Amino acid sequence: MIRFEHVTKRYADGEAVVKDLSFEVTEGELVTLVGPSGCGKTTTMKMVNRLTEPTSGRILLAGEDVSTVDPVRLRRRIGYVIQQVGLFPHKTVLENTATVPHLLGWQRKKSRERAAELLDLVGLDPAVFGDRYPEQLSGGQRQRVGVARALAADPPVLLLDEPFGAVDPVVREHLQNEFLKLQSQVRKTILFVTHDIEEAVRLGDRIAVYGDGAIEQFAAPSTVLGAPASPYVADFVGADRGLKRLSVTPIEPGDLEQPPVVHLDDPLSRAAAALDGEGARWAVVLDDQGHLHGWLSAEAAGRPEEGPVRGHARRMEAWLPVGSSLKQAFSTMLQHDAGWIAVLDGARFLGVLTPARLHEALRRSIDADANEIPREAVALESVSSV
Ligand SMILES: Nc1ncnc2c1ncn2[C@@H]1O[C@H](COP(=O)(O)OP(=O)(O)OP(=O)(O)O)[C@@H](O)[C@H]1O
Ligand SMILES: [Mg+2]
């Protein structure tokens, strides 16, 4: 959808700030462009909507060379949030949001309705915020107006230049979550610039890591974190990349251990036999609908008592849906001080994740990404490094 072909940009004073850049953002994809200050991120973005022109190479938008498209017509198809938001200070929030529809010649009523709808979408009540001026908003609220304004004419493509740059980490995370929710509904093609690797990893379907005007690595977040392409990338993503990677690696059914399973209404003696048979120290207890109830220790099962498991099982609160991140799994273990957590598919019990299995899952997924194969195809014995 947005395709860079050997793009180089040299400003008047000579040095190239973007060097022979080639990559593509596919339709409906969110690519984050991450790199240190001054490496050429904003310049890259501005060449897409022709706020600046490449010195050589070309950029295609939906197959069309942008240098052949009238800039005004081009920009109608591209929502743009400039670095530092850039709201018009003398216009209200509603008027700011309606800027592009207004420029496109929509009727006033229709533009205002659309603006109100978008403010709602980014979590700002138009009745409360619509008539305020930008200076009467917090930094985070201003950034939301910036995003609403970029979406106003429903462009298929968005260029977002550090849209959440000016807010504290808590508000930022909140805005990122809302933004991801929004993107799952609207599926725009997005080039998103940030210098924050955490943000790049959380939001990007793929990440382009910029060195000095050139891409050092272009891959899925998990690959960038697990198998950095160069010492520069490794350094940029940070020494704690293993931890960051936990947050982008999902729990898969193949990661799970299968302890003995007993039911609330099973006789205790049968449960004891099942545990004994497998030499297990505990069993998972399911209720009569097959939903997770808790667990039963071998010790409790071994009591010389009649009656069902029900009276001896303990409740288990530490569980997660399959597909949750390994980071969530780790954090749930810590929060419940649990040696394992149950993993469910809807209400169905799939198995348990233990710290050892979590570690294995991480190692396998790193190797799988490095070799571009599915995780289950990696034999743990063959895993090269963590
Ligand atoms: N109009 C211009 N004329 C000359 N040099 C420029 C111009 N705009 C940007 N530059 C230079 O080009 C380089 C890249 O700038 P750019 O704005 O693309 O960086 P960036 O990666 O977006 O940085 P930041 O993270 O600080 O926003 C910088 O060294 C900058 O000084
Ligand atoms: Mg910039």
Side-chain angles (χ1 to χ4, degrees):
M1 186 74 168
I2 309 173
R3 190 180 163 89
F4 283 74
E5 290 181 352
H6 302 288
V7 173
T8 293
K9 173 68 185 180
R10 192 170 281 120
Y11 285 114
D13 52 5
E15 253 234 72
V17 294
V18 172
K19 297 161 197 152
D20 194 27
L21 189 67
S22 296
F23 73 101
E24 180 164 11
V25 187
T26 59
E27 190 169 344
E29 188 183 31
L30 196 168
V31 168
T32 48
L33 206 62
V34 65
S37 182
C39 70
K41 304 182 297 293
T42 298
T43 302
T44 301
M45 191 159 266
K46 282 183 173 168
M47 289 189 286
V48 178
N49 60 5
R50 299 193 62 190
L51 287 171
T52 184
E53 304 287 345
T55 311
S56 62
R58 55 179 203 159
I59 298 167
L60 305 176
L61 185 75
E64 202 175 8
D65 184 341
V66 296
S67 69
T68 65
V69 184
D70 169 51
V72 176
R73 197 163 72 76
L74 181 70
R75 286 173 207 150
R76 284 182 190 162
R77 288 153 62 191
I78 304 175
Y80 183 42
V81 177
I82 62 171
Q83 205 168 354
Q84 307 309 341
V85 189
L87 298 180
F88 301 114
H90 56 281
K91 286 188 175 184
T92 66
V93 164
L94 199 73
E95 286 161 358
N96 260 290
T97 311
T99 304
V100 182
H102 181 70
L103 288 176
L104 292 177
W106 292 18
Q107 285 193 342
R108 187 179 149 83
K109 183 160 176 288
K110 190 176 160 210
S111 316
R112 293 178 75 89
E113 277 168 9
R114 173 69 180 156
E117 188 184 306
L118 280 157
L119 287 172
D120 229 9
L121 198 65
V122 297
L124 294 175
D125 182 350
V128 176
F129 294 98
D131 293 330
R132 289 201 196 169
Y133 288 88
E135 61 167 19
Q136 299 168 310
L137 301 179
S138 75
Q141 288 164 346
R142 242 174 270 160
Q143 296 201 305
R144 289 186 216 200
V145 177
V147 173
R149 184 174 64 179
L151 285 166
D154 203 19
V157 174
L158 290 177
L159 304 176
L160 307 176
D161 196 349
E162 310 215 20
F164 310 137
V167 294
D168 65 76
V170 176
V171 175
R172 179 181 264 229
E173 188 168 337
H174 180 68
L175 287 175
Q176 289 168 348
N177 286 339
E178 287 183 359
F179 182 71
L180 279 177
K181 230 189 292 166
L182 191 67
Q183 167 65 352
S184 71
Q185 293 164 25
V186 297
R187 281 273 151 228
K188 302 287 181 190
T189 303
I190 302 176
L191 194 55
F192 188 114
V193 162
T194 175
H195 59 253
D196 175 4
I197 183 72
E198 304 267 357
E199 181 163 83
V201 166
R202 288 196 74 203
L203 299 182
D205 296 314
R206 286 190 294 171
I207 308 179
V209 183
Y210 256 39
D212 198 9
I215 291 181
E216 295 273 333
Q217 189 168 18
F218 186 48
S222 57
T223 309
V224 172
L225 293 174
S230 66
Y232 169 86
V233 177
D235 195 39
F236 189 75
V237 298
D240 63 343
R241 63 194 155 88
L243 270 180
K244 290 192 185 105
R245 200 188 147 97
L246 284 176
S247 63
V248 295
T249 308
I251 304 172
E252 291 179 357
D255 302 328
L256 306 178
E257 217 166 279
Q258 299 299 333
V261 173
V262 300
H263 289 82
L264 275 176
D265 294 323
D266 288 349
L268 199 57
S269 54
R270 197 197 306 163
L275 276 157
D276 237 20
E278 300 195 31
R281 294 190 356 256
W282 50 272
V284 165
V285 180
L286 304 183
D287 67 16
D288 41 6
Q289 267 130 49
H291 299 169
L292 178 73
H293 173 87
W295 62 287
L296 177 74
S297 68
E299 194 193 17
R303 289 198 188 113
E305 289 177 35
E306 296 299 313
V309 164
R310 188 178 292 279
H312 303 275
R314 303 241 212 114
R315 294 292 297 193
M316 177 65 179
E317 308 292 345
W319 62 271
L320 282 174
V322 67
S324 306
S325 69
L326 295 181
K327 181 179 171 189
Q328 282 172 295
F330 189 41
S331 137
T332 306
M333 277 177 202
L334 292 176
Q335 187 193 339
H336 293 271
D337 191 19
W340 55 275
I341 57 163
V343 176
L344 310 183
D345 179 11
R348 195 162 60 91
F349 170 76
L350 290 183
V352 305
L353 192 69
T354 60
R357 287 299 186 101
L358 188 149
H359 183 218
E360 259 182 42
L362 188 65
R363 292 172 65 190
R364 273 182 209 270
S365 79
I366 289 172
D367 241 40
D369 278 343
N371 296 306
E372 295 181 0
I373 53 175
R375 198 149 112 205
E376 63 269 19
V378 179
L380 193 62
E381 303 73 57
S382 74
V383 169
S384 46
S385 66
V386 180

